[in-house]
């Protein structure tokens, strides 16, 4: 009976459901809740349960028949327990409503609108019903339940119902607009609202006080540092500061143009934005500025006019790092729904519209990623070179598998059976035990003997095969894995991981050649090694900023750029490995072009044209079915041995193209606005 579930406004009338409520279903796995609608054309796999019917306000008499009136406390409590136990969710918890902040749904809607994320039609219908059910008799909305209408609440809900499809002449929209105009329009909205309006291109960033984003770069012992804020205040300030620093703003469209005319009393083009910084409608103001805050804002606003671009870029990078750290720490649930709305938008902005949300959000690949995740889970002893039965742990295999498991779980919400943290701890413990005295990592074991053992090499056909040497490839992979692990589990062997990373980086410094390259031992050869060397520096934060980088990174990039061929690609002969010097190939190779580009992009090499020339090679050579032609030998071992990995010509271009699309969405080679297929999430 859908007529038993009618959300009431503050008034006498009721709002009919916008969907068939009997077709909504609820699922929960370890507390991760999801409501979904079974389309009219589909058959419901099961009947609604008591929790679903109760939450939706439907008839629950078949689940909870009338019981005799209790006459004692014991009877009453038993009666209550009988009822409440019937509402338990399938995973053991009780999924009860938590509501009251009326700005949350509009903020999520604005975030989705700005990020171009479509919601199911049934969800939009019921969201509209919910928001309209909270409209007050005067036509406005409060920020919370049981609050008089405010500029904040009315502006947010007004924008939300317009996003959800109500036109400017709809009676409820007209009533809301009249209410808002009586309050002077949206100009008197508080700071959080000003930020969202600026994001929506309905307000100018010049119309708010500067949060001084560079403050996040200051030492945390500094009085008033945002790291000392309560977690909710800290994370909301962080997200707002990032949006301000980047001037994150949606593109102007017909809805935005119309809203500019609707929510203001003044002509939008004539508004004196700086004069609105401290303009807060009286009913919205619950905490007036102190004189110290006003003095700080005056200083920050002055700085904003002359701020240093390089300093600002560093602040943006630091803020984004902390934002992503919270995503990892909270499994993308974030510290509050307010933060979640910001984080959805920030991720789309920072990573590219079609990028890191990526393939993990494409249902066509859900099964693929799930299977990959299950395979990696099943492969752990440590992680060997082949499968679990082999049992010979390899340092870089363990590090890469561990990092991939974490990335899959962080990026793919449909992967619910996560690997136990202890298993990741075990992987890290193994990795830490494999460090060599020079700070780097070998492959299977720590180095047991000195290079003098090579004198005893009797194989005759291989060289450098007597000792498991320290390798740039293994060391770099370990560094990347430990760095990612440390962000997710910052308290596990923190000091040892930090020490390992620092000593590993010093190993990388020590092994870099005078021309800026590194010798790769498991691939051909200097191109391969230099890619790993740059990834090692990048994961430690040594990238280009303001067009400059540390000397090691600069020299390595100069080396790679100097080897770019006329067609834009890279190609290195296998003989480079044998003679330990770079020998140019006559034809650029797909795998080496990918390696070079991955290295350059890892450190954010600033000359995008160099990257675009290489990307064009990959695009041009792709076959009609989506693969690439087989090139020359890509891998080597023991100075003379060669290996053929058929997948290299596919997986490395995929990595490369995904990273380019994520990092350079504005490039004409990045993606076209008409292309909606997401790309694989990149590893960095």
């Amino acid at each position: 009976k859908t007529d038993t579930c009618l959300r009431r406004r503050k008034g006498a009338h009721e709002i009919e459901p916008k969907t068939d409520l009997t077709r909504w279903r609820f699922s929960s796995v370890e507390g991760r809740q999801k409501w979904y609608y079974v389309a009219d054309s589909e058959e419901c796999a099961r009947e609604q349960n008591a929790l679903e019917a109760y939450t939706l306000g439907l008839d629950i008499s078949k689940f909870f028949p009338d019981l005799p009136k209790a006459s004692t406390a014991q009877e009453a409590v038993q009666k209550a327990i009988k009822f409440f136990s019937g509402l338990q969710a399938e995973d053991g918890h009780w999924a009860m409503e938590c509501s009251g902040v009326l700005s949350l749904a509009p903020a999520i809607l604005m975030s989705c609108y700005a990020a171009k994320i479509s919601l199911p039609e049934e969800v939009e219908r019921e969201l509209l019903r919910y928001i309209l059910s909270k409209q007050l008799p005067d036509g406005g909305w409060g920020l919370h339940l049981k609050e008089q209408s405010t500029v904040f609440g009315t502006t947010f809900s007004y924008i939300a119902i317009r996003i959800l499809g109500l036109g400017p002449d709809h009676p409820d929209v007209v009533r809301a607009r009249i209410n808002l105009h009586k309050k002077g329009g949206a100009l008197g909205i508080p700071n959080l609202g000003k930020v969202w309006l600026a994001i929506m291109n309905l307000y100018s960033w010049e119309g708010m006080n500067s949060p001084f984003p560079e403050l996040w770069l200051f030492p945390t012992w500094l009085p008033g540092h945002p790291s000392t804020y309560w977690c909710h205040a800290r994370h909301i300030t962080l997200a707002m500061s990032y949006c301000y620093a980047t001037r994150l703003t949606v593109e102007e469209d017909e809805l935005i143009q119309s809203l500019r005319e609707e929510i203001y009393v003044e002509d939008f083009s004539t508004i004196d934005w700086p004069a609105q910084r401290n303009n807060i409608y009286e009913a919205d103001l619950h905490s007036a500025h102190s004189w110290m805050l006003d003095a700080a804002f005056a200083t920050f606003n002055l700085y904003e006019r002359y701020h240093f671009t390089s300093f600002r870029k560093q602040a943006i990078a630091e803020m984004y790092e902390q934002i992503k750290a919270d995503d990892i720490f909270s499994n993308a649930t974030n510290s509050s729904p307010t933060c979640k709305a910001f984080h959805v938008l920030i991720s789309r902005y920072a990573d590219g519209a079609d990028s890191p949300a990526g393939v993990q959000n494409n249902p066509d690949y859900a099964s693929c990623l799930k299977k990959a995740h299950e395979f990696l889970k099943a492969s752990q002893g440590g992680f060997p070179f082949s499968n679990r039965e082999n049992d010979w742990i390899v340092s870089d295999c363990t590090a890469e598998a561990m990092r991939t498991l974490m990335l899959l779980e962080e990026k793919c919400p449909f992967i619910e059976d996560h690997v136990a943290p202890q298993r990741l701890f075990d992987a890290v413990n193994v990795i830490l035990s494999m460090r060599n005295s020079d700070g780097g990592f070998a492959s299977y074991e720590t180095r047991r003997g000195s290079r003098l053992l090579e004198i005893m090499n009797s194989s005759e056909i291989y060289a450098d095969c007597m000792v498991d040497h320290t390798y740039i490839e293994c060391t770099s992979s370990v560094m990347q894995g430990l760095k990612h692990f440390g962000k997710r589990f910052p308290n596990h062997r923190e000091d040892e991981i930090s020490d390992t990373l620092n000593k590993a980086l010093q190993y990388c410094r020590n092994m870099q050649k005078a021309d800026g390259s590194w010798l790769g031992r498991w691939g051909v050869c200097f191109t391969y090694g230099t890619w790993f060397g740059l990834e090692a520096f990048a994961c430690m934060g040594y990238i280009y900023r303001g067009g400059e980088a540390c000397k090691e990174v600069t020299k390595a990039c100069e080396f790679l750029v100097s080897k770019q061929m006329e067609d834009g690609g890279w190609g290195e002969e296998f003989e480079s490995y044998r003679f330990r010097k770079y020998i140019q190939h006559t034809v650029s190779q797909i795998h080496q072009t990918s390696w070079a580009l991955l290295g350059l992009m890892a450190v954010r090499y600033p000359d995008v044209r160099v990257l675009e020339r290489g990307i064009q090679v990959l695009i041009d050579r792709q076959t009609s079915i989506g693969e690439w032609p087989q090139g020359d030998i890509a891998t080597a071992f023991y100075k003379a041995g060669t290996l053929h990995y058929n997948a290299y010509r596919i997986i490395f271009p995929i990595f490369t193209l995904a990273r380019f699309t994520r990092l350079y969405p504005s490039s004409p080679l990045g993606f076209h606005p008409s292309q909606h297929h997401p790309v694989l999430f990149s590893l960095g």
Side-chain angles (χ1 to χ4, degrees), residues 19-20 32 43 52 91-92 131 147 171 202-203 212 233 254 329 362 389 428 509 512 549 551 566:
T19 62
D20 180 355
R32 185 177 286 272
E43 183 177 349
E52 292 160 341
D91 60 355
I131 294 171
E147 183 182 52
L202 298 173
Y203 194 90
F212 187 36
E254 290 184 5
F329 174 79
N362 187 331
E389 289 181 322
V428 167
R509 289 193 177 102
Q512 188 175 25
K551 63 180 181 180
E566 186 175 351

Side-chain angles (χ1 to χ4, degrees), residues 525-580:
C525 168
F526 293 95
T527 311
Y528 190 66
T530 304
W531 165 38
F532 278 95
L534 286 171
E535 292 279 5
F537 275 85
C539 80
M540 297 294 284
Y542 292 90
I543 62 175
Y544 278 87
R545 293 186 173 90
E548 297 182 349
C550 67
K551 63 180 181 180
E552 293 90 351
V553 167
T554 301
K555 288 174 63 179
C557 289
E558 289 174 350
F559 169 80
L560 286 177
V561 173
S562 73
K563 305 304 180 185
Q564 189 172 27
M565 300 176 70
E566 186 175 351
D567 67 352
W570 278 261
E572 183 180 359
E573 286 278 4
F574 171 77
E575 299 301 314
S576 292
Y577 186 74
R578 179 175 296 170
F579 295 107
R580 298 297 197 257

Side-chain angles (χ1 to χ4, degrees), residues 387-403:
N387 57 34
R388 184 174 179 176
E389 289 181 322
N390 175 258
D391 265 351
W392 273 91
I393 297 170
V394 181
S395 63
D396 59 344
C397 293
T398 301
E400 296 286 1
M402 177 182 71
R403 185 162 65 115

Side-chain angles (χ1 to χ4, degrees), residues 459-470:
S459 70
E460 299 180 346
I461 58 174
Y462 296 123
D464 294 336
C465 62
M466 298 297 290
V467 177
D468 197 356
H469 298 280
T470 308

Side-chain angles (χ1 to χ4, degrees), residues 28-31 85 87-95:
S28 180
V29 179
E30 296 183 354
S85 64
L87 296 178
Q88 187 179 29
E90 56 190 323
D91 60 355
H93 88 296
W94 278 261

Side-chain angles (χ1 to χ4, degrees), residues 670-683:
F671 67 92
H672 191 275
S674 65
Q675 296 173 330
H676 302 296
H677 296 291
V679 299
L680 182 69
F681 60 82
S682 173
L683 301 184

Side-chain angles (χ1 to χ4, degrees), residues 599-610:
L600 292 169
M601 288 189 288
V603 294
R604 308 305 190 257
Y605 184 70
D607 189 346
V608 180
R609 181 56 191 151
V610 169

